[in-house]
Protein backbone atom coordinates (compact mmCIF):
# COMPACT_ATOMS: atom_id res chain seq x y z
CA UNK A 1 0.00 0.00 0.00
CA UNK A 2 1.37 3.42 -0.90
CA UNK A 3 1.82 6.01 1.81
CA UNK A 4 -1.04 8.01 0.27
CA UNK A 5 -3.36 4.99 0.37
CA UNK A 6 -2.33 4.25 3.93
CA UNK A 7 -3.16 7.78 5.04
CA UNK A 8 -6.49 7.68 3.20
CA UNK A 9 -7.41 4.35 4.73
CA UNK A 10 -6.79 5.70 8.23
CA UNK A 11 -8.73 8.94 7.82
CA UNK A 12 -12.50 9.09 7.43
CA UNK A 13 -13.03 11.69 4.70
CA UNK A 14 -16.51 12.61 5.99
CA UNK A 15 -15.23 13.15 9.51
CA UNK A 16 -12.15 15.00 8.28
CA UNK A 17 -13.90 17.40 5.88
CA UNK A 18 -16.74 17.65 8.41
CA UNK A 19 -14.18 19.33 10.68
CA UNK A 20 -14.08 22.23 8.22
CA UNK A 21 -17.52 22.16 6.63
CA UNK A 22 -20.78 21.23 8.38
CA UNK A 23 -22.03 18.21 6.40
CA UNK A 24 -25.46 16.64 6.19
CA UNK A 25 -26.22 13.12 5.02
CA UNK A 26 -27.82 13.05 1.57
CA UNK A 27 -28.52 9.48 0.49
CA UNK A 28 -25.19 7.62 0.33
CA UNK A 29 -23.24 10.90 0.35
CA UNK A 30 -22.85 14.03 2.46
CA UNK A 31 -23.39 17.61 1.43
CA UNK A 32 -22.61 21.07 2.69
CA UNK A 33 -21.84 24.64 1.66
CA UNK A 34 -18.73 24.75 -0.52
CA UNK A 35 -15.77 26.17 1.42
CA UNK A 36 -14.15 27.35 -1.81
CA UNK A 37 -16.87 29.63 -3.14
CA UNK A 38 -19.76 31.59 -1.63
CA UNK A 39 -23.13 29.90 -1.89
CA UNK A 40 -26.45 29.64 -0.09
CA UNK A 41 -27.54 26.24 -1.39
CA UNK A 42 -25.18 23.31 -0.73
CA UNK A 43 -23.48 22.00 -3.85
CA UNK A 44 -20.41 20.54 -2.14
CA UNK A 45 -20.66 16.74 -1.92
CA UNK A 46 -18.45 14.22 -0.10
CA UNK A 47 -18.53 10.65 -1.40
CA UNK A 48 -17.55 8.18 1.36
CA UNK A 49 -17.57 5.24 -1.08
CA UNK A 50 -14.88 6.68 -3.32
CA UNK A 51 -13.19 8.83 -0.63
CA UNK A 52 -13.67 11.90 -2.78
CA UNK A 53 -15.38 15.31 -2.80
CA UNK A 54 -16.79 17.50 -5.53
CA UNK A 55 -18.24 21.00 -5.80
CA UNK A 56 -21.05 21.00 -8.36
CA UNK A 57 -21.39 24.77 -8.04
CA UNK A 58 -19.12 27.56 -9.24
CA UNK A 59 -15.90 25.59 -8.62
CA UNK A 60 -17.00 22.58 -10.65
CA UNK A 61 -14.00 20.71 -9.32
CA UNK A 62 -13.23 18.03 -6.80
CA UNK A 63 -10.66 15.56 -5.60
CA UNK A 64 -9.58 13.49 -2.65
CA UNK A 65 -8.61 14.36 0.91
CA UNK A 66 -5.22 15.58 -0.32
CA UNK A 67 -6.59 18.06 -2.83
CA UNK A 68 -9.06 19.22 -0.18
CA UNK A 69 -6.23 20.02 2.24
CA UNK A 70 -4.14 21.63 -0.50
CA UNK A 71 -6.98 24.05 -1.28
CA UNK A 72 -8.30 24.54 2.22
CA UNK A 73 -4.91 25.03 3.88
CA UNK A 74 -3.28 26.53 0.78
CA UNK A 75 -0.53 23.90 0.74
CA UNK A 76 1.51 22.19 -1.94
CA UNK A 77 1.31 18.39 -2.08
CA UNK A 78 4.43 17.60 0.03
CA UNK A 79 3.16 19.89 2.82
CA UNK A 80 -0.33 18.38 2.63
CA UNK A 81 1.23 14.94 2.86
CA UNK A 82 3.10 15.81 6.05
CA UNK A 83 -0.03 17.45 7.48
CA UNK A 84 -2.26 14.45 6.77
CA UNK A 85 0.38 11.90 7.78
CA UNK A 86 0.49 13.52 11.18
CA UNK A 87 -3.30 13.52 11.47
CA UNK A 88 -3.41 9.86 10.45
CA UNK A 89 -0.53 8.84 12.70
CA UNK A 90 1.47 7.55 9.73
CA UNK A 91 5.23 7.86 9.76
CA UNK A 92 6.70 9.30 6.57
CA UNK A 93 9.64 7.59 4.96
CA UNK A 94 12.21 9.91 3.47
CA UNK A 95 11.19 10.39 -0.15
CA UNK A 96 12.11 13.28 -2.32
CA UNK A 97 9.36 15.61 -3.40
CA UNK A 98 9.53 14.58 -7.07
CA UNK A 99 8.72 11.03 -6.02
CA UNK A 100 5.88 12.34 -3.89
CA UNK A 101 4.39 14.29 -6.75
CA UNK A 102 4.64 11.32 -9.07
CA UNK A 103 3.00 9.15 -6.38
CA UNK A 104 0.20 11.70 -6.15
CA UNK A 105 -0.45 11.41 -9.90
CA UNK A 106 -0.33 7.61 -9.72
CA UNK A 107 -2.91 7.65 -6.92
CA UNK A 108 -5.23 9.96 -8.83
CA UNK A 109 -5.07 7.84 -11.99
CA UNK A 110 -5.64 4.68 -9.95
CA UNK A 111 -8.75 6.25 -8.43
CA UNK A 112 -10.04 7.19 -11.90
CA UNK A 113 -9.41 3.67 -13.24
CA UNK A 114 -10.97 1.98 -10.21
CA UNK A 115 -14.14 4.07 -10.52
CA UNK A 116 -14.32 3.42 -14.28
CA UNK A 117 -13.90 -0.34 -13.76
CA UNK A 118 -16.76 -0.31 -11.25
CA UNK A 119 -18.97 1.64 -13.63
CA UNK A 120 -18.27 -0.63 -16.62
CA UNK A 121 -18.81 -3.70 -14.45
CA UNK A 122 -22.19 -2.49 -13.23
CA UNK A 123 -23.23 -1.73 -16.82
CA UNK A 124 -22.33 -5.29 -17.80
CA UNK A 125 -23.97 -7.04 -14.88
CA UNK A 126 -27.19 -5.11 -14.38
CA UNK A 127 -27.88 -2.50 -17.04
CA UNK A 128 -30.18 -3.09 -20.05
CA UNK A 129 -27.45 -1.53 -22.24
CA UNK A 130 -25.10 -4.37 -21.25
CA UNK A 131 -27.38 -7.05 -22.72
CA UNK A 132 -25.37 -7.71 -25.90
CA UNK A 133 -22.11 -7.94 -23.94
CA UNK A 134 -23.68 -10.31 -21.38
CA UNK A 135 -24.95 -12.48 -24.23
CA UNK A 136 -21.52 -12.48 -25.89
CA UNK A 137 -19.90 -13.76 -22.69
CA UNK A 138 -22.66 -16.22 -21.82
CA UNK A 139 -22.49 -17.76 -25.31
CA UNK A 140 -18.79 -18.35 -24.70
CA UNK A 141 -19.54 -20.07 -21.41
CA UNK A 142 -18.38 -17.30 -19.08
CA UNK A 143 -20.28 -17.43 -15.78
CA UNK A 144 -21.37 -14.44 -13.71
CA UNK A 145 -18.85 -15.43 -11.03
CA UNK A 146 -16.05 -15.22 -13.59
CA UNK A 147 -17.36 -11.88 -14.88
CA UNK A 148 -17.11 -10.62 -11.30
CA UNK A 149 -13.71 -12.19 -10.59
CA UNK A 150 -12.22 -10.38 -13.60
CA UNK A 151 -14.51 -7.38 -13.09
CA UNK A 152 -15.42 -7.56 -16.77
CA UNK A 153 -17.47 -4.63 -17.97
CA UNK A 154 -19.36 -2.91 -20.72
CA UNK A 155 -18.73 0.60 -22.04
CA UNK A 156 -22.05 2.01 -23.28
CA UNK A 157 -22.20 3.13 -26.90
CA UNK A 158 -22.35 6.80 -25.90
CA UNK A 159 -19.94 9.72 -26.11
CA UNK A 160 -20.11 11.02 -22.55
CA UNK A 161 -21.56 8.26 -20.35
CA UNK A 162 -18.39 7.44 -18.41
CA UNK A 163 -17.18 11.04 -18.39
CA UNK A 164 -20.42 12.20 -16.75
CA UNK A 165 -20.46 9.32 -14.27
CA UNK A 166 -16.89 10.02 -13.13
CA UNK A 167 -17.69 13.69 -12.70
CA UNK A 168 -20.63 12.73 -10.48
CA UNK A 169 -18.39 10.63 -8.23
CA UNK A 170 -15.85 13.41 -7.90
CA UNK A 171 -13.03 12.36 -10.26
CA UNK A 172 -11.40 15.42 -11.86
CA UNK A 173 -11.82 15.53 -15.63
CA UNK A 174 -8.09 16.10 -16.18
CA UNK A 175 -7.36 12.84 -14.32
CA UNK A 176 -9.94 11.01 -16.43
CA UNK A 177 -8.18 12.30 -19.55
CA UNK A 178 -4.71 11.53 -18.14
CA UNK A 179 -5.85 7.97 -17.39
CA UNK A 180 -6.83 7.61 -21.06
CA UNK A 181 -10.49 7.00 -20.22
CA UNK A 182 -11.52 9.97 -22.31
CA UNK A 183 -9.79 11.32 -25.38
CA UNK A 184 -9.58 14.75 -26.96
CA UNK A 185 -10.61 15.24 -30.58
CA UNK A 186 -8.92 17.64 -32.99
CA UNK A 187 -11.73 20.11 -32.31
CA UNK A 188 -10.84 20.05 -28.60
CA UNK A 189 -13.95 18.11 -27.60
CA UNK A 190 -13.40 15.48 -24.94
CA UNK A 191 -15.33 12.21 -25.14
CA UNK A 192 -15.28 8.61 -23.86
CA UNK A 193 -12.49 6.58 -25.45
CA UNK A 194 -14.28 3.24 -25.07
CA UNK A 195 -17.78 3.04 -26.57
CA UNK A 196 -19.92 -0.03 -27.22
CA UNK A 197 -17.17 -2.39 -26.07
CA UNK A 198 -16.73 -5.35 -23.76
CA UNK A 199 -14.22 -4.12 -21.19
CA UNK A 200 -11.30 -5.97 -19.62
CA UNK A 201 -9.63 -4.09 -16.74
CA UNK A 202 -5.87 -4.73 -16.81
CA UNK A 203 -4.27 -4.87 -13.37
CA UNK A 204 -0.78 -4.82 -11.96
CA UNK A 205 0.36 -7.61 -9.61
CA UNK A 206 -0.96 -5.62 -6.63
CA UNK A 207 -4.42 -5.55 -8.18
CA UNK A 208 -4.57 -1.87 -9.17
CA UNK A 209 -6.29 -1.22 -12.50
CA UNK A 210 -3.62 0.31 -14.75
CA UNK A 211 -5.55 0.31 -18.02
CA UNK A 212 -8.27 -1.32 -20.09
CA UNK A 213 -8.75 -3.40 -23.16
CA UNK A 214 -12.04 -3.02 -25.00
CA UNK A 215 -13.39 -5.52 -27.52
CA UNK A 216 -16.09 -4.77 -30.10
CA UNK A 217 -19.18 -6.96 -29.97
CA UNK A 218 -19.77 -7.25 -33.69
CA UNK A 219 -17.08 -8.69 -35.94
CA UNK A 220 -17.16 -5.80 -38.45
CA UNK A 221 -16.16 -2.83 -36.30
CA UNK A 222 -12.54 -1.78 -36.10
CA UNK A 223 -10.30 -1.85 -34.26
CA UNK A 224 -11.41 -5.18 -32.84
CA UNK A 225 -9.42 -4.45 -29.67
CA UNK A 226 -8.74 -1.00 -28.31
CA UNK A 227 -6.34 -0.53 -25.40
CA UNK A 228 -5.66 2.35 -23.05
CA UNK A 229 -2.98 4.68 -24.41
CA UNK A 230 0.39 5.01 -22.71
CA UNK A 231 -0.19 6.75 -19.35
CA UNK A 232 1.69 7.24 -16.09
CA UNK A 233 0.27 3.82 -15.11
CA UNK A 234 -0.06 1.95 -18.37
CA UNK A 235 2.62 0.68 -20.69
CA UNK A 236 1.23 -2.06 -22.91
CA UNK A 237 4.62 -3.71 -23.36
CA UNK A 238 5.04 -4.27 -19.63
CA UNK A 239 1.57 -5.41 -18.50
CA UNK A 240 0.63 -9.06 -18.06
CA UNK A 241 -3.14 -9.63 -18.14
CA UNK A 242 -4.43 -11.77 -15.28
CA UNK A 243 -1.23 -11.47 -13.21
CA UNK A 244 -3.16 -10.30 -10.12
CA UNK A 245 -5.32 -13.44 -10.12
CA UNK A 246 -2.60 -15.81 -11.31
CA UNK A 247 0.31 -14.81 -9.10
CA UNK A 248 -0.33 -17.24 -6.23
CA UNK A 249 -0.82 -20.18 -8.49
CA UNK A 250 2.22 -19.20 -10.58
CA UNK A 251 4.29 -19.09 -7.41
CA UNK A 252 2.95 -22.41 -6.14
CA UNK A 253 3.39 -24.26 -9.41
CA UNK A 254 6.56 -22.44 -10.45
CA UNK A 255 5.02 -22.23 -13.92
CA UNK A 256 3.13 -19.61 -15.88
CA UNK A 257 1.09 -20.42 -18.97
CA UNK A 258 1.35 -17.42 -21.27
CA UNK A 259 -1.38 -16.95 -23.86
CA UNK A 260 -2.20 -14.15 -26.25
CA UNK A 261 -5.53 -12.53 -25.43
CA UNK A 262 -8.02 -11.67 -22.71
CA UNK A 263 -10.49 -14.49 -23.33
CA UNK A 264 -7.59 -16.99 -23.46
CA UNK A 265 -7.05 -16.14 -19.77
CA UNK A 266 -10.66 -15.84 -18.59
CA UNK A 267 -11.79 -19.30 -19.73
CA UNK A 268 -8.84 -21.33 -18.33
CA UNK A 269 -9.18 -19.56 -14.96
CA UNK A 270 -12.85 -20.53 -14.87
CA UNK A 271 -11.79 -24.13 -15.57
CA UNK A 272 -9.26 -24.06 -12.72
CA UNK A 273 -6.09 -23.42 -14.74
CA UNK A 274 -5.31 -20.37 -12.66
CA UNK A 275 -1.65 -19.89 -13.61
CA UNK A 276 -2.66 -18.55 -17.04
CA UNK A 277 -1.77 -14.98 -18.05
CA UNK A 278 -1.71 -13.08 -21.35
CA UNK A 279 1.01 -10.97 -22.90
CA UNK A 280 -1.55 -9.04 -25.02
CA UNK A 281 0.60 -9.30 -28.11
CA UNK A 282 2.36 -11.86 -30.21
CA UNK A 283 5.70 -11.71 -28.40
CA UNK A 284 6.70 -11.60 -24.74
CA UNK A 285 8.71 -8.50 -23.92
CA UNK A 286 11.71 -8.34 -21.60
CA UNK A 287 9.75 -6.46 -18.95
CA UNK A 288 6.88 -9.00 -19.05
CA UNK A 289 9.40 -11.82 -18.58
CA UNK A 290 10.92 -9.82 -15.72
CA UNK A 291 7.55 -9.52 -13.99
CA UNK A 292 6.88 -13.26 -14.31
CA UNK A 293 10.38 -14.18 -13.08
CA UNK A 294 9.91 -11.91 -10.11
CA UNK A 295 6.85 -13.96 -9.11
CA UNK A 296 8.12 -17.50 -9.74
ZN1 LIG B 1 -17.46 25.45 -4.84
Amino acid sequence: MSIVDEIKSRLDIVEFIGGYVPLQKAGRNYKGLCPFHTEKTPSFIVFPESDRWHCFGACSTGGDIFTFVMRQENMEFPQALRFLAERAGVELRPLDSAALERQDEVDRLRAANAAAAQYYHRMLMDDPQGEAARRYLTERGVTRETMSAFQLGYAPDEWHALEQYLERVGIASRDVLAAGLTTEGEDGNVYDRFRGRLMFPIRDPQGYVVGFGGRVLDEDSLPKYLNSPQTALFDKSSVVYGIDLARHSIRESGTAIVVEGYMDVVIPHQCGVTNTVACLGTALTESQIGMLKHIT
Side-chain angles (χ1 to χ4, degrees):
M1 192 187 282
S2 76
I3 196 82
V4 166
D5 288 330
E6 195 178 340
I7 290 168
K8 281 185 185 174
S9 73
R10 290 207 195 185
L11 292 172
D12 178 344
I13 192 166
V14 173
E15 194 185 311
F16 182 84
I17 293 182
Y20 294 90
V21 183
L23 293 173
Q24 289 209 313
K25 198 157 184 4
R28 288 143 82 177
N29 305 318
Y30 289 80
K31 70 177 176 184
L33 294 173
C34 179
F36 308 124
H37 81 275
T38 310
E39 63 177 6
K40 293 204 172 86
T41 316
S43 55
F44 178 84
I45 313 285
V46 179
F47 307 91
E49 283 171 29
S50 57
D51 280 330
R52 299 185 75 80
W53 60 274
H54 197 94
C55 168
F56 291 93
C59 307
S60 184
T61 185
D64 59 11
I65 198 166
F66 284 86
T67 48
F68 180 84
V69 165
M70 286 159 71
R71 289 196 67 167
Q72 180 70 32
E73 302 284 348
N74 197 21
M75 289 175 174
E76 294 296 315
F77 181 76
Q79 273 177 293
L81 182 77
R82 277 192 291 275
F83 178 86
L84 286 170
E86 198 164 301
R87 290 286 294 264
V90 170
E91 198 181 331
L92 287 184
R93 294 176 289 265
L95 286 169
D96 64 49
S97 66
L100 289 177
E101 266 154 44
R102 150 130 186 119
Q103 187 57 45
D104 177 47
E105 185 188 12
V106 164
D107 283 316
R108 284 185 284 114
L109 299 197
R110 278 176 178 167
N113 281 339
Q118 273 179 26
Y119 171 78
Y120 291 143
H121 185 57
R122 203 166 57 232
M123 296 305 289
L124 174 72
M125 302 304 271
D126 304 319
D127 197 274
Q129 292 183 82
E131 172 60 31
R134 281 197 293 279
R135 198 170 53 237
Y136 176 92
L137 289 169
T138 308
E139 279 169 3
R140 278 153 190 78
V142 179
T143 64
R144 274 183 82 88
E145 292 75 55
T146 302
M147 294 178 206
S148 292
F150 283 87
Q151 206 182 16
L152 302 184
Y154 175 67
D157 199 6
E158 290 175 35
W159 295 95
H160 302 287
L162 178 73
E163 187 190 12
Q164 286 166 0
Y165 169 78
L166 292 177
E167 190 184 337
R168 283 201 304 278
V169 297
I171 309 280
S173 57
R174 66 165 189 283
D175 294 336
V176 177
L177 187 63
L181 294 163
T182 50
T183 184
E184 194 170 0
E186 277 171 24
D187 52 6
N189 285 334
V190 171
Y191 52 88
D192 291 357
R193 175 182 302 273
F194 300 100
R195 301 177 307 279
R197 286 173 184 267
L198 176 61
M199 298 300 291
F200 299 87
I202 303 166
R203 295 167 192 275
D204 64 15
Q206 286 73 45
Y208 290 108
V209 179
V210 293
F212 292 87
R215 188 198 194 286
V216 291
L217 291 167
D218 59 272
E219 297 305 317
D220 305 327
S221 301
L222 289 170
K224 191 169 158 192
Y225 284 95
L226 179 67
N227 286 303
S228 294
Q230 178 101 16
T231 71
L233 294 182
F234 188 73
D235 172 9
K236 187 164 177 279
S237 69
S238 62
V239 295
V240 174
Y241 181 67
I243 191 77
D244 54 309
L245 296 176
R247 58 187 297 192
H248 291 297
S249 128
I250 290 174
R251 187 171 289 140
E252 268 173 28
S253 62
T255 315
I257 299 171
V258 182
V259 293
E260 194 184 328
Y262 303 103
M263 290 297 278
D264 308 329
V265 172
V266 171
I267 297 290
H269 272 255
Q270 184 172 298
C271 300
V273 188
T274 51
N275 58 340
T276 311
V277 292
C279 57
L280 303 180
T282 46
L284 265 177
T285 64
E286 284 295 324
S287 65
Q288 288 170 328
I289 292 169
M291 188 188 285
L292 290 170
K293 271 191 179 155
H294 182 71
I295 283 173
T296 50

